[in-house]
Amino acid sequence: MIDPTDPKSIAPGLAALSICESLLISMSDLKIASAKEISGILEDAATAHRNASESSSDQVLHLEVVSVIERIIAARNSIHKP
């Protein structure tokens, strides 16, 4: 089980998030993917966790992941108008 108070427990997830955000920003900057496509990727990830929450014993965790992804989408939309 992940201990949210232990930095070693949460560091891998934070590292993955940072790497993925950097990749999405790079894809946009290099014109590999449009802002709309990147928003679609993020929305797909949120949908996957929303669906997983329906049948998972970790429902709260999946819904929190959805919340984080939705905040990323909202921040992107405030910067990059599709």
Side-chain angles (χ1 to χ4, degrees):
M1 181 88 191
I2 296 172
D3 177 0
T5 62
D6 178 13
K8 288 183 180 180
S9 181
I10 61 172
L14 292 174
L17 175 62
S18 295
I19 291 165
C20 289
E21 283 185 295
S22 293
L23 285 171
L24 291 174
I25 290 167
S26 293
M27 288 171 62
S28 178
D29 290 348
L30 295 170
K31 308 289 188 228
I32 294 170
S34 68
K36 183 177 178 179
E37 289 168 324
I38 291 171
S39 289
I41 291 167
L42 293 168
E43 289 166 10
D44 287 349
T47 297
H49 281 280
R50 222 179 266 108
N51 292 342
S53 75
E54 294 173 4
S55 61
S56 173
S57 60
D58 289 330
Q59 181 180 24
V60 172
L61 175 61
H62 285 288
L63 292 177
E64 187 58 33
V65 171
V66 170
S67 178
V68 169
I69 294 169
E70 287 176 342
R71 288 194 302 268
I72 293 169
I73 292 169
R76 281 193 48 76
N77 287 341
S78 69
I79 296 170
H80 302 96
K81 299 291 180 190

